[in-house]
Amino acid sequence: MAFTLYSLLQASLLIVNAVAVLHEERFLRHVGWGTDQGIGGFGEEPGIKAQLMNLIRSVRTVMRVPLIALNSITIILLLLFG
């Protein structure tokens, strides 16, 4: 398989899908990344862990509908062109 722009886009779509399906109560809390574990004090800068949790929550919220469309397009292209 050659390294093309399409394969790069497909790999990034798979990564976004993986982030979107992470469940906070089932998986992330057991790893130590739950909502109650990243609470900082007032005026403190959020750490890397809190920023990654915000990114995961944002991806799950914002990318839900576009991921359905992008996955459908990817599946159709794979069926048509192999």
Side-chain angles (χ1 to χ4, degrees), residues 30-71:
H30 296 296
V31 180
W33 285 38
T35 28
D36 56 347
Q37 293 158 349
I39 299 172
F42 181 73
E44 292 180 10
E45 291 291 324
I48 292 177
K49 185 175 172 181
Q51 290 177 355
L52 284 174
M53 283 305 304
N54 284 334
L55 177 69
I56 291 171
R57 276 190 219 105
S58 299
V59 166
R60 276 197 322 237
T61 303
V62 175
M63 292 297 290
R64 183 171 292 157
V65 175
L67 273 177
I68 294 170
L70 287 173
N71 285 324

Side-chain angles (χ1 to χ4, degrees), residues 9-49:
L9 290 174
Q10 194 174 10
S12 63
L13 179 66
L14 287 172
I15 290 171
V16 173
N17 277 327
V19 170
V21 299
L22 287 176
H23 196 271
E24 199 162 334
E25 294 174 6
R26 291 184 194 164
F27 176 72
L28 295 175
R29 187 183 54 173
H30 296 296
V31 180
W33 285 38
T35 28
D36 56 347
Q37 293 158 349
I39 299 172
F42 181 73
E44 292 180 10
E45 291 291 324
I48 292 177
K49 185 175 172 181

